[in-house]
């Protein structure tokens, strides 16, 4: 009997490099399915509808919640709502693909409650100083937004012990390969 692939939550503090690590996994392990979240925040330059996020209004987001379409959702950085549309996740699991949700800590806790069989991976920075320099160096947020995100990051780092596994993002390639192994991904090069 083939085991049903598991749902994996990948969380970690802001600017730890989740996006870059996920991009590496996308390119090298095409059988892994990444959930596309809905969000009320505005697109950043280069972000595409349905690829990076589904960009929706607050009204549309609330309607999705009311219709029971969200597997989990949260207000992130005290500002915008982000959530995982349920149907597509189930479809991918039914199709036998490992599924990764790249979501925040609050979402990870909701998944732990609603899907205890899910595994939770915490992506950690090599150090706090490294995290600060990555956030500032990214240059996509205003100074006020950076401060807000660093506050969130402090709280998020304290939650590491709630996770099943910690992966340290000391190198994108190494961290991505470790995560791919944990989720049971098949390498494109294999
Ligand atoms: P960003 O605005 O930088 O794209 O994302 C901000 C945060 O929202 C990240 O920590 C990301 O993991 C989180 N996030 C993205 N999608 C979801 C989602 O569907 N649910 C939850 N709970 N958090 C999400």
């Amino acid at each position: 009997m083939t085991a049903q692939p598991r749902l994996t939550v990948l969380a970690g503090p802001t600017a730890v490099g989740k996006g870059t690590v996920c991009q590496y996994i996308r390119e090298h392990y095409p059988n892994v399915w990444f959930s596309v979240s809905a969000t009320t925040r505005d697109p950043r330059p280069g972000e595409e509808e349905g690829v990076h996020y589904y960009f929706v209004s607050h009204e549309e987001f609330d309607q999705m919640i009311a219709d029971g379409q969200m597997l989990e959702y949260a207000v992130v950085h005290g500002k915008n709502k982000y959530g995982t549309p349920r149907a597509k996740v189930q479809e991918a699991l039914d199709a036998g693909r490992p599924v990764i949700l790249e979501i925040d800590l609050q979402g990870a806790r909701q998944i732990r409650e609603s899907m205890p069989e899910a595994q939770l991976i915490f992506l950690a920075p090599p150090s706090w100083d490294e995290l600060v320099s990555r956030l500032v160096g990214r240059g996509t947020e205003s100074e006020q937004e950076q401060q807000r995100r660093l506050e969130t990051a402090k709280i998020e780092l304290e939650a590491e012990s709630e996770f099943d596994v910690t992966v340290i993002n000391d190198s994108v390639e190494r961290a991505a390969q470790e995560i791919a192994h944990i989720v049971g991904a098949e390498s494109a090069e294999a």
Side-chain angles (χ1 to χ4, degrees):
M1 196 178 88
T2 316
Q4 162 94 354
R6 286 164 85 190
L7 181 77
T8 302
V9 170
L10 180 64
T14 183
V16 71
K18 274 178 290 180
T20 320
V21 168
C22 288
Q23 190 52 36
Y24 185 98
I25 299 173
R26 275 195 182 90
E27 284 165 13
H28 294 82
Y29 302 91
N31 75 317
V32 177
W33 189 82
F34 283 88
S35 170
V36 179
S37 299
T39 181
T40 58
R41 87 150 159 71
D42 293 333
R44 294 193 186 119
E47 285 184 335
E48 284 175 49
E49 168 71 17
V51 176
H52 299 91
Y53 284 105
Y54 296 105
F55 297 98
V56 300
S57 66
H58 283 273
E59 291 72 26
E60 287 168 322
F61 198 101
D62 291 344
Q63 192 58 51
M64 290 174 85
I65 298 171
D67 293 344
Q69 289 179 36
M70 291 300 195
L71 189 56
E72 61 73 37
Y73 66 91
V75 175
V76 181
H77 304 305
K79 228 167 109 187
N80 282 299
K81 289 178 189 154
Y82 295 77
T84 305
R86 184 191 300 276
K88 298 252 168 82
V89 169
Q90 197 54 53
E91 250 173 55
L93 286 173
D94 290 346
R97 297 178 67 176
V99 169
I100 296 183
L101 308 185
E102 194 238 292
I103 60 178
D104 90 320
L105 175 62
Q106 307 165 75
R109 287 180 175 142
Q110 291 174 42
I111 297 290
R112 167 121 291 169
E113 286 295 311
S114 62
M115 302 179 83
E117 71 282 10
Q119 59 186 345
L120 271 56
I121 301 178
F122 190 83
L123 189 64
S127 68
W128 172 254
D129 288 349
E130 182 63 33
L131 188 70
V132 174
S133 75
R134 283 183 196 179
L135 180 62
V136 174
R138 184 160 80 177
T140 44
E141 286 86 19
S142 66
E143 208 169 305
Q144 194 189 10
E145 180 65 18
Q146 284 174 7
Q147 279 312 319
R148 197 207 309 267
R149 285 177 179 238
L150 282 175
E151 288 306 314
T152 310
K154 269 187 210 148
I155 297 166
E156 286 174 334
L157 277 175
E158 286 165 10
E160 183 186 337
S161 61
E162 296 175 37
F163 286 71
D164 299 311
V165 194
T166 294
V167 172
I168 296 179
N169 188 15
D170 44 7
S171 127
V172 171
E173 186 179 353
R174 199 210 57 76
Q177 287 169 353
E178 188 179 345
I179 293 166
H181 178 74
I182 295 169
V183 307
E186 288 161 22
S187 167
E189 289 94 42

